[in-house]
Amino acid sequence: MAKQKKEKLIGQVRTRIAPSPTGYPHVGTAFQALFDWVYARRYDGQYILRIEDTDQKRLVVDAEEVLYQAFSWLDLLPDEGPKVGGQYGPYRQSERLELYQQYAQQLVEQGDAYYCFCSAERLTQIRETQRKTGQPPMYDRHCRNLSLKEAKARIEAGKKVVVRLKVPDDQTIRVYDELRGEVKFDSNIVDDQVLLKSDGFPTYHLAVVVDDHLMGITHIVRGEEWLSSAPKHVLLYQYFNWPIPKLIHTPTLRNPDKSKLSKRKGNTSLWWYREHGYLPTALLNFLALLVWKPNEQTEIFTRKEMVKFFEWREMNVTGPIFDIKKLNWLNGKYLRKLSKEELEKHLSEWADWVEKKGQDQEVVNEVKLFKEWKNSKPNVLRQAVSLAKDRARTLREIPQAIAFYFESDLEYDGHDLLQDHEAVEMIKVLTAVDQQLLEIQKNDSQVWEKTIRQAADKHDLSHKDLFMALRSAVTAQKYTPPLYEVMTILGREESSKRIQQAINFLKN
Ligand code: GLU
């Protein structure tokens, strides 16, 4: 972007995230909010939260509160919004009803909207006929030519009324989208949309235009599913004679099979990611990466780095694939960047959260055990966690990976223990190693390693086979962090106990 243009934007940008509190926070909301935040920060502007609660039937009581928790977890709390306030409030649409009524009224007086008295039965009938004749479902404009005088008389008489947008005939409505350029719509297939409902609540279309204007929003970022509504909004801006903010319709997130990201096929709830141990920083990096990266080589970047470079025209609009494998990989990278202390902090916050809010009983149970271990053997836990960090992709994988330190009743696999040797032979070697290990005074992984290697040589066993057999004996796992370190954490007595246990297993 030309430098001049960039400087002009400094301090001028206002973005908003406008969720409807109708359910639990969606990853799509985090995706939008991230770009709102980045763009606002890039130009020293403001990023606003507006609660679009005009569809009272679909409200979920605690959804707004949960949204704050989600934004707080993601570190995306808004600069202005219902909780923090701001100069452009109120920020909940249900608290702005009079405004919408006033603007609807203005449109009617101007002749750009009209009162409609059609009953629900009549509307259903029209739709039914249209469906049968293969026409798109649209209002048939029955009330469009009622005189204002007649309409007011009916309102006076207590008739139920809505306000509808007057869409012109035979026009091309041009929508300019920052990612796609100009998109043209034939006005003949744009519906005379209801703007104000009979209960005095606005529909989304009226409320969004009025609010974006009154709140001084400069860049509207929303999902591309809203692009088809844009011509209605453009008409409203024209009727009000308001400037149109920049429109950015972000591409729909998709499952690996290219279908729209859905609850059924993937996990769309932010809480799922929280519960399953993803770090918010990694999740945001992943979401950004779906459509943007700072350069060809760089996939791991922070929001702050995005702020330095991001421009809309660089956003890739071709169906971003939400690939959880990629997220796992990224999350692992982020985990490994944490210091010991940071990791412990994340783990305990995660465990506390799952304990209170967890939905998945398996995860809840894992956390319960994790907390028990933390109380009973804090030292073992600390060391085990620190070793497990190198392999784990999520926080959740850490308790899973370290369970064997705390549960000494192991379930052995005969093949892993034997490594293709005879049981008698393996029993002999394991017994000898156990004996020697007990004789060593120091709890030192290097000394242990040497001892084990010597024992292998003495019994003519490959080092690898003995390591594998021992690993299986003390952990009952195929893959663990380096064996001696694991044994050092377990301690000589516990390691010995487990070797004995394995020997007994082989004997039976
Ligand atoms: N309330 C709309 C939603 O829930 C917001 C769309 C917009 O950002 O304009 O998605």
Side-chain angles (χ1 to χ4, degrees):
M1 175 183 293
K3 199 158 171 218
Q4 242 181 348
K5 198 169 160 210
K6 185 175 175 217
E7 273 163 12
K8 236 176 85 191
L9 277 176
I10 301 233
Q12 304 302 316
V13 168
R14 287 175 60 83
T15 60
R16 83 329 185 245
I17 179 83
S20 302
T22 51
Y24 281 104
H26 194 279
V27 279
T29 306
F31 177 75
Q32 304 290 334
L34 169 65
F35 286 99
D36 285 326
W37 184 93
V38 166
Y39 201 70
R41 286 294 168 275
R42 177 158 171 75
Y43 290 103
D44 295 332
Q46 291 90 37
Y47 143 71
I48 290 121
L49 169 65
R50 181 173 69 232
I51 298 292
E52 301 208 324
D53 56 350
T54 55
D55 191 348
Q56 296 279 306
K57 276 185 256 121
R58 289 177 57 223
L59 285 195
V60 171
V61 183
D62 61 342
E64 186 182 323
E65 185 48 39
V66 178
L67 265 168
Y68 294 119
Q69 293 167 12
F71 286 134
S72 161
W73 179 60
L74 296 165
D75 195 13
L76 282 175
L77 283 169
D79 304 324
E80 296 172 23
K83 252 195 184 170
V84 275
Q87 288 174 26
Y88 298 79
Y91 294 90
R92 250 181 233 111
Q93 290 187 326
S94 60
E95 295 166 14
R96 302 168 64 82
L97 298 184
E98 268 177 43
L99 275 173
Y100 311 124
Q101 289 160 6
Q102 199 182 304
Y103 282 105
Q105 179 77 30
Q106 178 189 328
L107 289 175
V108 173
E109 302 290 337
Q110 283 174 204
D112 292 323
Y114 58 96
Y115 291 120
C116 166
F117 301 91
C118 291
S119 66
E121 294 75 40
R122 179 165 190 279
L123 296 177
T124 317
Q125 222 169 34
I126 308 172
R127 231 169 291 135
E128 195 47 30
T129 316
Q130 285 166 338
R131 198 181 55 81
K132 279 190 194 140
T133 52
Q135 289 168 290
M138 280 170 80
Y139 177 57
D140 67 355
R141 299 182 166 181
H142 181 72
C143 294
R144 188 154 150 155
N145 295 319
L146 273 181
S147 72
L148 197 51
K149 199 164 151 228
E150 166 66 17
K152 283 187 173 166
R154 290 196 195 180
I155 297 170
E156 202 74 1
K159 289 259 185 225
K160 259 179 128 183
V161 64
V162 303
V163 174
R164 284 185 184 273
L165 175 69
K166 219 182 242 179
V167 177
D169 289 325
D170 307 324
Q171 279 194 16
T172 300
I173 306 174
R174 292 164 203 275
V175 172
Y176 193 85
D177 176 83
E178 296 298 305
L179 306 179
R180 296 168 181 77
E182 188 174 82
V183 187
K184 292 182 193 154
F185 293 87
D186 174 358
S187 71
N188 293 333
I189 52 168
V190 177
D191 196 13
D192 276 6
Q193 174 69 49
V194 173
L195 299 175
L196 197 68
K197 295 181 276 188
S198 57
D199 60 2
F201 272 76
T203 56
Y204 160 71
H205 306 280
L206 175 64
V208 79
V209 168
V210 168
D211 287 346
D212 284 335
H213 174 71
L214 295 182
M215 294 183 179
I217 301 304
T218 57
H219 294 72
I220 296 177
V221 183
R222 62 179 150 224
E224 71 182 330
E225 68 274 20
W226 295 107
L227 186 58
S228 58
S229 299
K232 295 172 187 169
H233 303 175
V234 165
L235 284 177
L236 283 170
Y237 280 104
Q238 287 169 356
Y239 292 163
F240 285 125
N241 203 11
W242 291 340
I244 304 179
K246 298 260 187 264
L247 299 175
I248 296 107
H249 292 91
T250 60
T252 303
L253 308 184
R254 304 201 168 270
N255 296 306
D257 69 1
K258 304 257 167 80
S259 59
K260 186 176 164 205
L261 188 65
S262 67
K263 213 167 168 177
R264 214 157 34 84
K265 292 219 171 134
N267 298 298
T268 53
S269 159
L270 274 175
W271 274 184
W272 186 91
Y273 296 91
R274 188 168 191 180
E275 176 160 14
H276 287 77
Y278 292 89
L279 299 174
T281 42
L283 183 60
L284 290 179
N285 186 160
F286 170 74
L287 291 173
L289 193 53
L290 291 171
V291 289
W292 184 83
K293 47 186 164 183
N295 55 55
E296 243 344 279
Q297 299 79 37
T298 311
E299 295 201 305
I300 301 180
F301 50 86
T302 63
R303 273 185 292 167
K304 293 232 171 80
E305 287 166 307
M306 293 182 73
V307 168
K308 271 193 242 157
F309 305 110
F310 178 75
E311 288 299 340
W312 298 116
R313 61 182 149 72
E314 297 164 355
M315 188 184 264
N316 185 0
V317 285
T318 44
I321 303 291
F322 199 98
D323 179 4
I324 190 107
K325 286 197 212 112
K326 182 93 186 189
L327 173 59
N328 287 338
W329 169 80
L330 253 181
N331 203 67
K333 293 273 184 199
Y334 273 80
L335 276 182
R336 277 179 272 299
K337 278 202 270 183
L338 299 177
S339 69
K340 243 186 196 172
E341 293 71 31
E342 287 168 335
L343 177 61
E344 277 171 25
K345 192 166 157 262
H346 277 289
L347 268 172
S348 53
E349 280 171 4
W350 166 74
D352 288 344
W353 190 85
V354 172
E355 190 177 40
K356 285 197 213 95
K357 307 262 168 83
Q359 300 277 316
D360 182 333
Q361 201 50 46
E362 242 178 90
V363 187
V364 173
N365 292 342
E366 287 163 10
V367 160
K368 214 166 148 193
L369 285 174
F370 178 72
K371 290 203 151 195
E372 281 169 23
W373 304 333
K374 204 169 159 184
N375 284 330
S376 59
K377 295 184 179 169
N379 275 332
V380 175
L381 185 104
R382 200 164 299 131
Q383 297 174 70
V385 163
S386 158
L387 263 192
K389 183 177 116 174
D390 290 341
R391 292 163 170 274
R393 296 170 305 173
T394 61
L395 294 170
R396 182 193 176 190
E397 284 181 355
I398 292 180
Q400 290 175 337
I402 65 174
F404 71 82
Y405 291 96
F406 305 92
E407 291 158 5
S408 44
D409 251 344
L410 301 177
E411 263 182 55
Y412 290 115
D413 176 313
H415 185 259
D416 287 348
L417 278 173
L418 288 175
Q419 300 294 316
D420 289 331
H421 297 277
E422 295 293 330
V424 270
E425 189 190 352
M426 198 47 97
I427 290 171
K428 205 166 82 192
V429 191
L430 288 177
T431 310
V433 171
D434 181 35
Q435 197 55 43
Q436 271 168 311
L437 288 180
L438 277 178
E439 278 162 22
I440 306 169
Q441 290 303 310
K442 257 176 57 198
N443 205 359
D444 175 328
S445 61
Q446 280 177 3
V447 181
W448 292 39
E449 173 169 7
K450 212 169 118 201
T451 315
I452 295 167
R453 286 191 191 277
Q454 281 169 354
D457 290 341
K458 191 165 157 215
H459 290 88
D460 217 8
L461 209 67
S462 78
H463 292 190
K464 183 172 155 271
D465 284 359
L466 183 54
F467 292 154
M468 296 295 279
L470 267 174
R471 166 172 288 127
S472 171
V474 296
T475 70
Q477 315 246 331
K478 275 196 195 4
Y479 310 100
T480 66
L483 178 62
Y484 328 107
E485 293 185 43
V486 169
M487 287 171 73
T488 319
I489 295 174
L490 283 170
R492 271 178 306 154
E493 262 164 54
E494 182 62 25
S495 301
S496 166
K497 192 176 125 196
R498 292 181 180 199
I499 296 171
Q500 285 303 330
Q501 199 174 265
I503 292 172
N504 286 336
F505 175 86
L506 288 178
K507 281 183 179 159
N508 297 321

